Amino acid sequence: MAHVFRAVQQAVIAAIQADDFSFPLPDLIDYSWTQGIPNVSTMSYAEWERLAFLGDATASGCIANQLKHLMPEGTPHLYTVLRSGLQSNQTFAHIFRKACLLAVCSSEPVVVQPSLFKRGGDFFEAILGLMMTQKSLEFVKGWLEPMYAPLIRAAARAYLAF
C-alpha cells in the first residue's frame, strides 16, 4: 500500500505544480487575503487547533463526497488511498503555496520543503476552518470541489496505473 500511496501523492503534487492548475482564494466576510494569513500570535493555540481540526474534517468530507460522486463504482480501498494522498499535509502545503498564501507570508521565493509540510498543512486546514466559521459547509464544498477535480483525476490515474 505504501508504494501505491507514494505514486498517488506524487501524481497529486505534479498536478498541483502544473502551470494550468490554479487555486484561487474565495472572498471571506471578515478577512482579506492580502493582509496575510491569520496571525497565530493574536489567536490562542487552542483556537488555532480547533480551526485546523474543523478544516481537516471539512476537507475529508468534501473529498470523500467528491470521490464517491466522480467514481461511484470505486472500492473502499481506492477511496482510502486516494483520499490519503489528496488530504495529506504535503498536498495541503503544496496547495497552500499554489494559492500564494506562503508568498503572503514571505517576500522571498518559497520552496515547499518537508519541514513545511506539517505547518503548511495545518495552515491550510485552519483556513478551511475559518471559511466554515465565516461562511458554511456548502460554501467550502462549492469552492473546494471544482478545484479538487483535476487532483482526483491525477490520483485515480496513478492508482489505476499501479
Side-chain angles (χ1 to χ4, degrees), residues 112-120:
V112 179
Q113 300 172 12
S115 63
L116 291 176
F117 292 162
K118 176 69 172 138
R119 190 170 71 190

Side-chain angles (χ1 to χ4, degrees), residues 39-55 126 133:
N39 187 345
V40 180
S41 65
T42 62
M43 184 183 294
S44 74
Y45 185 71
E47 180 59 23
W48 185 257
E49 283 187 318
R50 282 190 286 275
L51 283 175
F53 172 79
L54 180 60
T133 60

